[in-house]
Amino acid sequence: MVGIGPGDIALLTQQALAALGDCEVVIGYKTYTRLIGNLVNDKKVISLDMHDEIKRAKLAIKKASQGKDVCVISGGDAGIYGMAGLILELLNKEEKDRIKIEFIPGIPAVSACASLLGAPLMHDFVVISLSDLLTDKELIEKRVRLGCQADFIIVFYNPKSKKRRLLFERIWQILMKYKSSHTPVGIVQNAYRDNEKVEITNLKDMLNSKIIDMSTTIIVGNTKTYVKGKFMITPRGYNLARGKNRRSFTR
């Protein structure tokens, strides 16, 4: 199980590069296999469409059961919205005992996008996918409400697609209810890939962005987040802590 990071080959880990170099078969979503194409030209590459996750997983298990060295690739990290959990779920007892599985971490989208925005994740945050294919809309809305009430920085994956727009607008309404309309919002499309775009706006104007789709990650700040120049910053509180220590010492 190999996490290939956000897309730029330079951000692949050395461990991931070694695994891709040693394997015989590479299986993944076609967008991801295309991103690493030059690295696996000498391999058997099996590229499948979105929503073929179960097919990918079963095929990987079958190939590994036949003695093949298989890399199943996921964008970002395989254990974060990736293929790792599904393959573990599908393994039967015999396959579990026979197949050796290794998990190779990758840079997740949340980290990649944050690096392009500055330092928006310096304090507690939550990550929520707005895809309702596998999660009920009501549960997604509940998680957003609770995240707002706890003043978390909120990171959104899969904000909207051509067919799925209403939930995103509903989530924006929830954010506007619990957060200031001036809350900084970072929007990153295609992080570390071709056609990368980065915007910093505020919650009130977030819906006006033209770059929000399934390849976009959105970071909504907390009550302390602010914009300085071209960067978003969420203070960790070091200056405040230093001040408290100083006052304690002078007593």
Side-chain angles (χ1 to χ4, degrees):
M1 307 301 307
V2 178
I4 64 168
D8 189 332
I9 297 301
L11 296 180
L12 272 171
T13 67
Q14 292 298 312
Q15 192 178 13
L17 284 169
L20 290 170
D22 292 341
C23 75
E24 300 170 88
V25 181
V26 176
I27 299 175
Y29 172 46
K30 60 184 180 181
T31 295
Y32 302 146
T33 57
R34 187 165 59 245
L35 287 171
I36 61 167
N38 292 336
L39 298 176
V40 292
N41 286 334
D42 59 335
K43 315 294 180 182
K44 179 174 178 57
V45 179
I46 301 172
S47 301
L48 297 172
D49 291 330
M50 184 74 77
H51 311 312
D52 281 338
E53 289 84 1
I54 293 176
K55 185 176 180 180
R56 271 182 260 154
K58 289 182 175 180
L59 188 57
I61 293 170
K62 179 180 178 181
K63 293 290 185 184
S65 296
Q66 294 170 348
K68 300 293 185 182
D69 193 344
V70 182
C71 274
V72 181
I73 62 171
S74 294
D77 184 281
I80 302 176
Y81 297 109
M83 291 290 294
L86 177 59
I87 285 186
L88 289 178
E89 290 180 57
L90 292 177
L91 285 171
N92 62 37
K93 186 178 186 305
E94 181 183 348
E95 291 164 341
K96 179 172 65 68
D97 294 337
R98 188 169 70 251
I99 299 173
K100 178 183 177 182
I101 300 180
E102 183 178 4
F103 300 93
I104 298 176
I107 297 173
V110 60
S111 298
C113 295
S115 74
L116 295 169
L117 292 167
L121 303 181
M122 288 294 293
H123 219 299
D124 300 334
F125 65 91
V126 294
V127 180
I128 300 174
S129 171
L130 295 189
S131 172
D132 60 353
L133 294 175
L134 302 174
T135 308
D136 291 337
K137 294 178 182 178
E138 293 77 13
L139 182 55
I140 294 173
E141 292 182 13
K142 179 181 180 180
R143 288 171 174 169
V144 175
R145 282 197 300 273
L146 294 174
C148 290
Q149 290 171 12
D151 196 28
F152 280 112
I153 305 152
I154 304 181
V155 182
F156 292 109
Y157 281 6
N158 310 314
K160 69 177 180 180
S161 64
K162 293 179 180 179
K163 297 181 179 179
R164 183 174 48 79
R165 297 176 178 273
L166 293 180
L167 179 58
F168 178 65
E169 294 175 3
R170 171 62 183 148
I171 294 304
W172 177 78
Q173 292 171 354
I174 294 172
L175 293 169
M176 287 289 288
K177 179 179 179 181
Y178 291 99
K179 290 179 175 284
S180 165
S181 62
H182 300 293
T183 302
V185 175
I187 303 172
V188 181
Q189 183 185 57
N190 297 317
Y192 293 97
R193 300 182 190 177
D194 293 339
N195 301 313
E196 174 188 281
K197 295 181 176 64
V198 180
E199 293 180 0
I200 294 179
T201 183
N202 58 48
L203 187 55
K204 178 182 176 183
D205 297 328
M206 184 176 77
L207 291 185
N208 296 329
S209 175
K210 305 298 183 184
I211 65 169
I212 298 177
D213 59 19
M214 289 290 285
S215 62
T216 303
T217 298
I218 299 173
I219 300 180
V220 180
N222 67 12
T223 54
K224 303 295 184 182
T225 306
Y226 66 96
V227 177
K228 185 175 184 179
K230 62 179 182 178
F231 298 121
M232 275 178 72
I233 304 170
T234 302
R236 182 76 174 94
Y238 294 114
N239 288 332
L240 179 62
R242 190 181 299 117
K244 286 182 179 178
N245 290 338
R246 186 180 299 116
R247 287 194 296 273
S248 177
F249 180 77
T250 56
R251 290 195 189 98

